[in-house]
Amino acid sequence: MSVATLSHWQRGRSQPERFQSLQAIDALEPMLGLESGTLRSLLGPHRPRGRAPAHDPTVARCVYGDKSDLEQALGEAFTHFNADTQLLVSHETMTLDEYRSIREITVTNVLRAVSAGARQVTVVHFLDA
């Protein structure tokens, strides 16, 4: 299990749902001195799988959080955030240096224009400590 996966779980960006992930949660409990089932009891309901509608501001709020910095920065434009595009694939590669600090991040996105007027996409990338 990667540190990034644990970080995403901890911050609520994703949650363990697949069989292997739930096994990892069960294996973590004794290492953390927790009773069996403690971590699973903290999990919310399974999130829906598959493609989201072409544009739904509530999906962005789930990813970035309600009243996020992004929503506040974009203001009214947040409800139309990338409404002209649909993300098909996102691939991120992070290179660390010998001190395990981030040296480089490469992000490749494949998008589909869903309206004739699509001319741009706004990309937001957050890094935490």
Side-chain angles (χ1 to χ4, degrees):
M1 178 179 322
S2 72
V3 174
T5 297
L6 289 173
S7 176
H8 286 162
W9 291 352
Q10 184 180 26
R11 291 182 293 142
R13 289 189 67 190
S14 64
Q15 68 177 16
E17 293 179 342
R18 296 190 173 141
F19 179 73
Q20 293 88 351
S21 298
L22 294 172
Q23 282 184 318
I25 290 297
D26 294 340
L28 282 172
E29 290 173 333
M31 291 182 227
L32 298 172
L34 299 172
E35 292 182 28
S36 179
T38 301
L39 293 177
R40 280 195 190 216
S41 71
L42 300 174
L43 298 176
H46 286 295
R47 295 181 182 180
R49 295 271 184 220
R51 288 191 175 148
H55 181 70
D56 182 354
T58 58
V59 173
R61 284 190 183 98
C62 288
V63 172
Y64 297 107
D66 194 33
K67 307 280 188 205
S68 67
D69 291 339
L70 177 63
E71 185 173 0
Q72 292 176 35
L74 294 177
E76 291 296 316
F78 184 80
T79 59
H80 306 291
F81 178 56
N82 293 335
D84 294 334
T85 61
Q86 179 183 23
L87 179 64
L88 300 176
V89 176
S90 183
H91 182 263
E92 298 184 34
T93 303
M94 186 178 303
T95 306
L96 305 179
D97 63 17
E98 64 271 15
Y99 304 106
R100 299 184 72 184
S101 296
I102 298 171
R103 185 168 59 93
E104 179 181 57
I105 298 174
T106 304
V107 181
T108 303
N109 291 324
V110 178
L111 303 159
R112 174 184 293 145
V114 295
S115 72
R119 295 179 184 216
Q120 66 184 24
V121 64
T122 303
V123 178
V124 180
H125 200 88
F126 290 100
L127 295 175
D128 61 351

